[in-house]
Amino acid sequence: HTHPSPAQALSNAGRHAARRIRLMFLLQPWDKSIDYSDQTLDEAKNKEKTLVNFFAEVALRVKGNGWLGKPTKPGPAEMEFAASLAARQARAHAALLDNFNTPGAMEELLGIVADTHRYLHGPGAARPDALLLKKGAAYVTRMLRVFGVSTQPEFGLGDDSETAAISGGADAAAPVVDALAAFRDAVRAGARAAAVGGSDAGPADLLGLCDRLRDSTLVDLGIRLEDRPDGAVWRRDDPAEMRAEIEAKAAAAAEAAASKLARKMEAKRAEIAKEREAAVPPSELFLQPRHAAKFSPSALDAEGKPTLGGDGEPLSKAAKKEVDKLYARQAKEHEKHLAKLGKNPRTLQEMEEGLAAMYTEGREMLAAHGAGLTPETKAALLEQNGDGHPDPAPADARDAPAEAV
């Protein structure tokens, strides 16, 4: 492993908040060489984000006074969570007594975060004990305050001198953002109601506006808005990180859409090829090039069955059975094809028009998202998008004699 020079270390430090660097130090033993690298800074960044999300979730659960009306009698989930919290506090204390083992103590603090997540998403999720949640969050905060990571008196990380724009001012902005989130919930509810009632209000357009508000306007303001079944929740976050997440999500959606379109085009091409084969009358089956090597197209009986093989010799008994089998199968498929034409004379044309529309969609998708698609998906889309293949000719120009039979 190559360690950065002092100059590189100072340069890297300028790109990371002091809180993150402190977390990096806490995650390593103080009495051994410190691994100062992009990997350890990334690990500290991930742990910082975990803590930020943890405190935001607890704050959401204890927000307001709604939790005061919930039963305070602990259930099995609360008892288990409380026991786990006490055990982790004891182990964190023991770790610090053991040569100031900060990695061990941090492991227990992050364990409290993980236990809280399991409790909130387990059997007790519908009615979580807010006081128990607050107790765990307050202990984690107190320990982080001892380590110089948190500046909050109650619970949370507080503002970092270099990241105040991310987390600072949340209380001042709360009324405005709450009102905005409530407005967005109302618009979403109205749009869904209009969709169920068949209204011309354009629910898709309204939902699109809501998504742009969430994914663009609020992101630029450093606000993360998350949709949940019981209403939207928000918190401050890094705009650059949120944009990166949105871009990654959009790229994944484009990848999935491109793969799906390539599969649909492949299926449609196979469907058209099968229908074209069915359009051939059984009397003309052995005139097709695919049978010329095995059966002579110049020696056919009254039904159109060959009497000679591709080598000019009379057919064997087994070959005649094969001819009868192929002929009967083609007669059956052709009968199905004629039945389709009886219901819709433009059967093949509509299939090929559908494929042509997919070609257009594929070209537009490649133009808009081609640079972000994986090589495999891009190649599949190009292959199925008529690259190297002529666009399908109108069926009436190609198969008219067969369909007229």
Side-chain angles (χ1 to χ4, degrees), residues 48-194:
E48 180 185 34
K49 187 172 184 180
T50 297
L51 291 167
V52 168
N53 292 341
F54 163 66
F55 289 127
E57 183 70 20
V58 173
L60 172 67
R61 300 287 181 160
V62 302
K63 185 178 181 180
N65 296 321
W67 55 272
L68 291 174
K70 296 182 179 180
T72 56
K73 182 179 180 180
E78 284 71 30
M79 297 293 288
E80 180 182 354
F81 182 38
S84 172
L85 179 58
R88 289 195 180 278
Q89 288 179 356
R91 288 197 293 269
H93 182 70
L96 293 178
L97 291 178
D98 180 17
N99 196 26
F100 203 61
N101 179 10
T102 57
M106 286 299 299
E107 181 179 354
E108 297 305 326
L109 297 185
L110 291 167
I112 292 175
V113 173
D115 291 346
T116 302
H117 183 270
R118 280 191 292 271
Y119 170 65
L120 287 173
H121 296 85
R127 307 170 76 89
D129 188 326
L131 294 177
L132 191 55
L133 291 174
K134 193 171 182 180
K135 179 180 179 181
Y139 174 76
V140 173
T141 302
R142 180 161 63 88
M143 296 303 295
L144 293 177
R145 214 165 43 240
V146 170
F147 294 148
V149 173
S150 172
T151 60
Q152 287 292 88
E154 189 173 21
F155 68 84
L157 287 180
D159 294 348
D160 188 271
S161 59
E162 297 179 43
T163 57
I166 298 175
S167 57
D171 292 339
V176 177
V177 179
D178 283 342
L180 189 59
F183 162 78
R184 187 171 179 273
D185 285 341
V187 172
R188 285 169 60 83
R192 286 173 176 147

Side-chain angles (χ1 to χ4, degrees), residues 315-334:
L315 296 179
S316 64
K317 186 176 181 179
K320 289 179 180 178
K321 285 185 177 180
E322 182 182 357
V323 166
D324 290 340
K325 185 177 180 180
L326 291 171
Y327 190 92
R329 185 168 63 192
Q330 184 65 21
K332 184 178 180 180
E333 294 300 318
H334 187 63

Side-chain angles (χ1 to χ4, degrees), residues 3 111 113 126 131 156 158 182 205 216 225 240 247 276 279 284 319 327 330-331 347 361 381:
H3 293 276
V113 173
L131 294 177
D205 294 334
S216 179
L225 188 65
E247 289 171 4
R276 287 175 182 168
E284 298 178 13
Y327 190 92
Q330 184 65 21
T347 296
E361 184 181 354
L381 194 60

